[in-house]
Amino acid sequence: MSAYTINNGATFDVKQYLHPMTNSRFVVAVIAVLPIILWIAYMSLNNHIFFIFVSSYTALLFLAIWIGMEFTKALLVGNAVKVGYDNFPQIATILESVKDKIGYHKDVEIYIVESGTVNMILHRFFSTKFIVIHSSFVESCESAKNYRDIEWAIARFVGYMKVKKDHYFPIVFEIMEAIKKFPLLNLLVLPYERCIIYSGDRIGLALCGEVEAAITGMSKLLIGKALYGKVSSDTFIFQSRIVNSSFFAGVARFFSSYPHMTDRYLNIMAFVKETVPEHYLEFVAKHHIDRVKLEEALRDRHGR
């Protein structure tokens, strides 16, 4: 049993698997958001017209988002298969097990769709949280009779939501979500978002317990089930060197709430190397990875 897995009945502490910079970047994000909250509160108390405007705008915004989410959910119900113990019981069991181990008790629904532009995505708005999985991802697990990579993917989403739930109240979450959409204002919030994604990846690995499953799951998210087997670790390493030396790739990351997939790969490998070095060496040997180039990439990676 590795250091990043848990025994049955053991307490799973999400904080143990947070990316090292998550809490410090959360503080920076709060510092960015707090003045805006205080300014809105001050203006609302001292200017009735401003208060009416903010209240109306907020209500309309929340109503629009709620309607949009309900439409999305309605389309899923009408055009997708909801995972349950009658449909795909293995995935339903994984979801409940992951939620129980992580200690995330809010409702999460999973839908499987036949078409889409991504292999897996999370939708969330207050109590509405559902994971959409492309059927090809599920098909690959069904064919192999191995659900470890989908367990990693589900656990990383649930872990992501758990980290956010532990950090702040829903209203602060929604303000942060709104600020993320405004260029320049969002620059102090986005690094925190990227850290939560790194943290989710580590939590997913801790729960599925297999480096192979985490990297396979990531490859499927990147390129799909038909071609993921052709994606080698050397590809991630080579492309990461290009990305991390590119000015424009750095700018693109700077304005994104998602880290590059190459950075996510390197951060998982760095986590494995730090926590279970014997598994790191085993994975490197099994896949014939150039260890010198990998460790150079680990030293130069974004998100250290």
Side-chain angles (χ1 to χ4, degrees), residues 21-33:
M21 299 179 70
T22 302
N23 288 327
S24 61
R25 289 187 172 182
F26 171 67
V27 171
V28 172
V30 170
I31 291 172
V33 170

Side-chain angles (χ1 to χ4, degrees), residues 27 106 126:
V27 171
K106 293 183 176 293
F126 282 128

Side-chain angles (χ1 to χ4, degrees), residues 119 136-137 140 219-220 223-231:
N119 288 308
S136 63
F137 199 143
S140 65
S219 298
K220 287 181 182 179
I223 200 170
K225 71 101 177 177
L227 298 175
Y228 79 91
K230 298 182 182 296
V231 180

Side-chain angles (χ1 to χ4, degrees), residues 148-217:
R148 285 295 191 184
D149 50 353
I150 211 166
E151 181 180 8
W152 169 80
I154 291 172
R156 66 159 303 275
F157 277 128
V158 177
Y160 170 95
M161 291 186 287
K162 172 66 173 174
V163 173
K164 283 203 165 185
K165 177 179 176 295
D166 288 349
H167 267 158
Y168 43 65
F169 295 108
I171 188 63
V172 180
F173 166 79
E174 295 306 328
I175 292 173
M176 282 195 178
E177 288 295 297
I179 289 176
K180 277 165 48 179
K181 296 175 175 61
F182 290 93
L184 301 181
L185 284 178
N186 61 5
L187 295 183
L188 296 178
V189 175
L190 295 181
Y192 169 63
E193 287 289 323
R194 295 192 291 269
C195 274
I196 301 180
I197 291 174
Y198 289 140
S199 299
D201 289 343
R202 292 157 66 115
I203 292 167
L205 174 57
L207 281 178
C208 80
E210 293 181 8
V211 187
E212 191 79 39
I215 300 303
T216 298

Side-chain angles (χ1 to χ4, degrees), residues 78-115:
N79 299 286
V81 174
K82 182 180 178 182
V83 168
Y85 289 102
D86 294 327
N87 296 310
F88 305 99
Q90 298 93 338
I91 298 176
T93 300
I94 288 171
L95 175 62
E96 291 308 312
S97 174
V98 164
K99 288 175 59 182
D100 183 60
K101 289 174 181 176
I102 290 179
Y104 186 84
H105 304 297
K106 293 183 176 293
D107 290 336
V108 180
E109 298 175 359
I110 295 181
Y111 292 89
I112 299 174
V113 298
E114 192 280 327
S115 61

Side-chain angles (χ1 to χ4, degrees), residues 46 64 67 117 149 218 257 265 298:
N46 290 276
I67 290 173
T117 56
D149 50 353
M218 183 173 292
S257 57
Y265 167 84
L298 293 179

